[in-house]
Amino acid sequence: MRNQTNAGPVFGRRVAAAADFAATWQITDKLSFLDTFRYSNWRNPAAFDASSCSFFSPNLNTAAFFFSPSASIPLTCVPPADAAPGTATNPVAHNASSAPDLSIILDSNFLKQEERMNLAEVNYRFSQKLGARVGFRYRHRIIADNFYETVNQVFYPGATAALAARGACALVNPANPVSQANLPAGCTLNSDSSISFLSIPAFVPASDVVPPISEFSGLFGIWARPSPKLQISFDTELFKADGSFTRISPRQSQEYRVRAKYALASWLHLNGNALIWEARNNVTNVNYLAHNRAYGISATLQPKDKIGLEIGYDYDDVFSQILICFVSSAALTGPSTVTCPGVTGLQQQLSTYTNNSNYGYFDLSLTPVHRLTAHLGANLMGTSGSALLVITPQVPSGPLDSKWLHPFGGLDYHFAKSWTGKAYWDYYSYHEDPTVSAATGAIISQDLLAPRNFRGNLVTLSVKYAF
């Protein structure tokens, strides 16, 4: 840039170590013990040695005037080719908020995470039709970081010698003249009226972001095959931690999973599954609660070689809430709005997110004649819900209502040995449903500008050769 030059090398690397160990002890034909241990440790050291030279002019179209120091400086700055030495009538264009004329900053960053996990599990098979498992998982996590910075800067005078006293070297008492006694610690007044600033803080080893966290989980599972046609399994994990690294990291959670498969007939297979996950970190000023509840059923039908159908439906219920703090230019009147504890100028409100989705699909294939196969299907999804929008003084709940439609169809025709011609059609449609604000009457969309709607048709013609 015309008024500034920047340089400096960057160094960074990732050092990672990981180890896994697992052993299974088959105590008897029915009883076994499994133990799994995992260890990981990664570190990211990085450094940036930044040097910067600034040359000041009234604007980028005007050549700069530069100061020629006589005192020792840590960095040699080469001015632009059209720059000229500053004089009493044409001084360097400094003001009280100008950046340093030259600066050397060394930033050193360090981030580390270490994790140890052990899972011990006992499996017992009561019979060929029934089995169960019980386990315990322990995980210990440490996250540590460090930031170290040294600063070496020089401030040149401009129209007056007092203009060198700026930035980190602003005068302790602005009413008094520039003197060594009137400068902050770390600042040195040089013989040429420039001022040097040097800050080398004491090095502090990396420390934990928060105290190390231990996590404990109890696991239980059972499976059953009451008949060759029916399979059922149930698994659960109960989790507890003595801390969290983030506000949305749960301190307690429960997860339940159920799966079932049933062959109603040789040509009809049914599947069902359910997942329920509940989590919370409801400590003071966090109040985090969340759940994810998903349920699904599907069926596969093949009554004849010439016809096949797969059909299914899934329902998903996602919810979360947490206290958030944000800047507001006006007093808020929304629900649960208070001043953010301990932080001046911020408002606190309970942010709630809800989303319910219904997803259905089917895929039908027909072979009316030996060479021709027809396909018809669709993926259909509709969602509804809301989320807090921190964009107006009233902090409304914004919509999360949309529809996704994807019908498709096509033909496969074997017109010769090893050759198949294909013709397929896909239709894509996405539509968002805005809502009307009860407080202002304004239309609220998921997008800040307008509801997003699009659709498209795709036709594909292809030939396949199999050999």
Side-chain angles (χ1 to χ4, degrees):
M1 295 188 296
R2 179 185 177 94
N3 273 15
Q4 192 176 55
T5 58
N6 297 299
V10 176
F11 166 83
R13 61 176 179 165
R14 181 181 176 91
V15 183
D20 294 89
F21 173 80
T24 301
W25 179 19
Q26 194 69 40
I27 303 172
T28 67
D29 292 342
K30 296 183 177 182
L31 179 64
S32 62
F33 174 77
L34 169 68
D35 189 84
T36 303
F37 175 79
R38 293 178 180 173
Y39 171 82
S40 68
N41 182 313
W42 58 261
R43 303 176 297 281
N44 284 356
F48 178 37
D49 186 3
S51 60
S52 177
C53 298
S54 297
F55 304 97
F56 300 90
S57 62
N59 56 68
L60 293 179
N61 294 322
T62 304
F65 294 98
F66 64 90
F67 178 82
S68 297
S70 59
S72 176
I73 56 176
L75 177 66
T76 300
C77 294
V78 180
D82 60 350
T87 63
T89 56
N90 294 309
V92 181
H94 286 145
N95 58 45
S97 60
S98 295
D101 292 82
L102 61 92
S103 174
I104 300 177
I105 299 177
L106 174 62
D107 284 337
S108 179
N109 298 271
F110 178 80
L111 178 64
K112 167 189 174 180
Q113 177 167 305
E114 183 178 282
E115 177 182 317
R116 297 183 180 92
M117 189 280 296
N118 192 83
L119 170 63
E121 191 174 68
V122 175
N123 291 270
Y124 188 76
R125 180 169 52 85
F126 297 94
S127 67
Q128 295 291 337
K129 296 182 177 181
L130 182 64
R133 65 185 183 92
V134 178
F136 177 78
R137 179 187 288 118
Y138 171 77
R139 185 168 72 156
H140 184 73
R141 299 173 64 197
I142 297 174
I143 297 180
D145 70 349
N146 190 23
F147 176 77
Y148 178 76
E149 182 180 76
T150 64
V151 179
N152 193 347
Q153 298 174 335
V154 179
F155 301 88
Y156 293 153
T160 64
L163 284 176
R166 61 185 193 272
C169 292
L171 296 176
V172 175
N173 188 346
N176 294 335
V178 178
S179 65
Q180 184 63 55
N182 199 22
L183 291 175
C187 298
T188 302
L189 179 61
N190 301 316
S191 57
D192 58 2
S193 297
S194 65
I195 299 177
S196 300
F197 172 70
L198 181 63
S199 172
I200 303 179
F203 178 76
V204 179
S207 59
D208 296 338
V209 176
V210 298
I213 292 176
S214 295
E215 301 172 353
F216 312 89
S217 294
L219 296 90
F220 173 76
I222 187 171
W223 58 266
R225 296 187 180 93
S227 72
K229 296 183 177 182
L230 178 62
Q231 300 179 30
I232 303 174
S233 66
F234 170 79
D235 295 280
T236 184
E237 179 172 350
L238 306 179
F239 167 88
K240 182 177 178 61
D242 58 11
S244 63
F245 288 114
T246 67
R247 292 167 60 86
I248 58 173
S249 297
R251 290 173 180 253
Q252 300 91 28
S253 70
Q254 303 87 39
E255 184 173 349
Y256 308 94
R257 300 180 296 274
V258 179
R259 300 179 181 89
K261 295 182 179 181
Y262 184 49
L264 189 62
S266 61
W267 55 273
L268 176 59
H269 294 261
L270 304 177
N271 297 280
N273 63 82
L275 167 66
I276 299 176
W277 179 75
E278 307 280 343
R280 61 185 180 273
N281 183 8
N282 52 352
V283 298
T284 304
N285 292 329
V286 176
N287 198 19
Y288 171 70
L289 299 174
H291 71 238
N292 183 10
R293 301 164 184 168
Y295 313 92
I297 55 173
S298 63
T300 303
L301 298 87
Q302 190 80 38
K304 297 180 180 180
D305 293 339
K306 294 184 177 183
I307 182 171
L309 174 64
E310 183 177 353
I311 187 170
Y313 169 77
D314 291 299
Y315 174 77
D316 199 6
D317 171 17
V318 177
F319 166 83
S320 71
Q321 70 169 42
I322 191 170
L323 288 171
I324 61 172
C325 292
F326 53 91
V327 176
S328 176
S329 59
L332 302 182
T333 60
S336 307
T337 302
V338 297
T339 302
C340 191
V343 184
T344 304
L346 294 185
Q347 301 288 337
Q348 184 185 71
Q349 183 164 334
L350 186 66
S351 175
T352 302
Y353 174 93
T354 62
N355 189 272
N356 299 319
S357 66
N358 294 272
Y359 170 72
Y361 68 95
F362 75 92
D363 191 347
L364 174 67
S365 65
L366 297 170
T367 307
V369 296
H370 176 66
R371 293 177 176 269
L372 181 66
T373 301
H375 298 272
L376 179 65
N379 298 295
L380 311 172
M381 184 168 65
T383 65
S384 62
S386 64
L388 191 71
L389 301 180
V390 189
I391 56 174
T392 71
Q394 300 301 320
V395 193
S397 292
L400 293 175
D401 303 336
S402 64
K403 294 181 178 66
W404 168 254
L405 309 176
H406 174 212
F408 58 88
L411 298 172
D412 295 346
Y413 182 66
H414 300 276
F415 59 89
K417 182 180 180 181
S418 303
W419 290 91
T420 304
K422 297 190 175 192
Y424 279 81
W425 164 80
D426 291 83
Y427 175 78
Y428 301 94
S429 173
Y430 177 78
H431 173 74
E432 291 180 355
D433 299 320
T435 61
V436 179
S437 171
T440 63
I443 296 177
I444 304 175
S445 305
Q446 292 173 225
D447 188 270
L448 295 179
L449 302 178
R452 290 167 289 195
N453 300 288
F454 62 85
R455 63 183 183 271
N457 290 275
L458 176 65
V459 176
T460 304
L461 302 176
S462 62
V463 177
K464 183 178 76 171
Y465 176 73
F467 57 92

